[in-house]
Amino acid sequence: MRKRLCLLLMAAVLLIAACEAPPTPLPVVIEPTTAATPTPPNQTIRYALAPNAVNSLIDRASIEPYAQLIALDAPPTADGLGAQYDLAVALGRYDGAQQSTVPYIASLVIRTDVPPLDNAEVQAIIRRAAVPAELIAGLDIPGVELLKDEPLGSLRADLASAGYPDGFDLTISSAFVPGIEAFAARLREAGITVEVVPMESTEAAVQLVAGSSAEGWIDLFRAPISYWIAPGVPLHLSANGFPLPPRAMP
């Protein structure tokens, strides 16, 4: 029976990793914060998400306990502040919105230390299967920048040439990256058996990234993070660029 490897798709990181020996976690970087006006204990911030941010909110676990998350049918506008929501977020650049100092970046990280991902030809095939335009297809992200563009070629034929005519097994764990099914479909077309499993945190991704190498990393796309915030609501941006509710501030 073929060994099943494990891939992880994550916002800000699209990680292809073999689930072998557990790597050492990366150190946690905590940014300095400015003092903020405390929020009354019973006050709940109404935190709205544009359609393109609903599945892309990296800090969801930190935000959810302190906010009422609202999924919108359209991008936020200044008119909704105070009436429908106190804070709103969307991927992309919008008139009237403020932009985060940190962009949303999706990157492909391949664990190059475990077969068959240690094979340069296999790495190239997987990189070509990650097509940024397909990952964000159907999402309206004004100002998105595609960072990778290369011809797909014949992935199945190239996989056979690399010594894997029957493919191999992969599990994709997805966290906060759109378009994972499009990526999985490309891999399946090449003859790779793919299982997609959702993730709910970034912790495993941080650990798996620690086992990657520089040659296995490639950025796929970058998008501004826009936000709208009601007067009087203190602002603090997480290390990932998303605004936090006052009570979620470190």
Side-chain angles (χ1 to χ4, degrees), residues 12-67:
V13 173
L14 170 61
L15 178 61
I16 307 243
C19 294
E20 297 280 325
T24 304
L26 293 178
V28 176
V29 179
I30 301 177
E31 293 188 345
T33 62
T34 56
T37 305
T39 304
N42 295 325
Q43 180 178 341
T44 298
I45 292 294
R46 296 168 299 171
Y47 196 117
L49 298 170
N52 63 27
V54 169
N55 296 319
S56 306
L57 184 61
I58 303 172
D59 298 294
R60 179 181 287 270
S62 299
I63 292 171
E64 211 160 22
Y66 305 103

Side-chain angles (χ1 to χ4, degrees), residues 115-188:
L117 304 180
D118 59 347
N119 183 311
E121 293 177 83
V122 172
Q123 294 169 24
I125 291 166
I126 292 176
R127 281 195 296 268
R128 281 188 283 135
V131 182
E134 292 182 350
L135 296 178
I136 62 172
L139 294 177
D140 181 17
I141 307 180
V144 66
E145 180 183 2
L146 303 184
L147 303 175
K148 169 184 172 289
D149 182 19
E150 58 181 311
L152 279 169
S154 177
L155 301 182
R156 181 179 287 271
D158 290 345
L159 194 64
S161 297
Y164 296 91
D166 299 322
F168 47 86
D169 293 349
L170 286 173
T171 296
I172 301 179
S173 289
S174 152
F176 315 118
V177 169
I180 182 173
E181 283 297 342
F183 176 62
R186 283 293 184 190
L187 294 175
R188 291 182 183 120

Side-chain angles (χ1 to χ4, degrees), residues 73-228:
D73 296 328
T77 64
D79 294 339
L81 285 179
Q84 296 175 278
Y85 37 79
D86 308 299
L87 212 166
V89 173
L91 294 186
R93 185 174 289 106
Y94 298 84
D95 292 338
Q98 300 181 66
Q99 267 77 55
S100 171
T101 54
V102 179
Y104 175 101
I105 300 177
S107 302
L108 173 67
V109 180
I110 302 175
R111 281 288 303 274
T112 58
D113 59 330
V114 179
L117 304 180
D118 59 347
N119 183 311
E121 293 177 83
V122 172
Q123 294 169 24
I125 291 166
I126 292 176
R127 281 195 296 268
R128 281 188 283 135
V131 182
E134 292 182 350
L135 296 178
I136 62 172
L139 294 177
D140 181 17
I141 307 180
V144 66
E145 180 183 2
L146 303 184
L147 303 175
K148 169 184 172 289
D149 182 19
E150 58 181 311
L152 279 169
S154 177
L155 301 182
R156 181 179 287 271
D158 290 345
L159 194 64
S161 297
Y164 296 91
D166 299 322
F168 47 86
D169 293 349
L170 286 173
T171 296
I172 301 179
S173 289
S174 152
F176 315 118
V177 169
I180 182 173
E181 283 297 342
F183 176 62
R186 283 293 184 190
L187 294 175
R188 291 182 183 120
E189 288 176 6
I192 298 172
T193 301
V194 177
E195 179 185 3
V196 178
V197 178
M199 282 190 63
E200 296 181 354
S201 75
T202 61
E203 294 178 2
V206 170
Q207 293 179 358
L208 288 171
V209 167
S212 65
S213 58
E215 63 268 20
W217 191 297
I218 182 172
D219 291 337
L220 300 174
F221 68 87
R222 178 192 295 117
I225 300 174
S226 289
Y227 62 88
W228 296 253

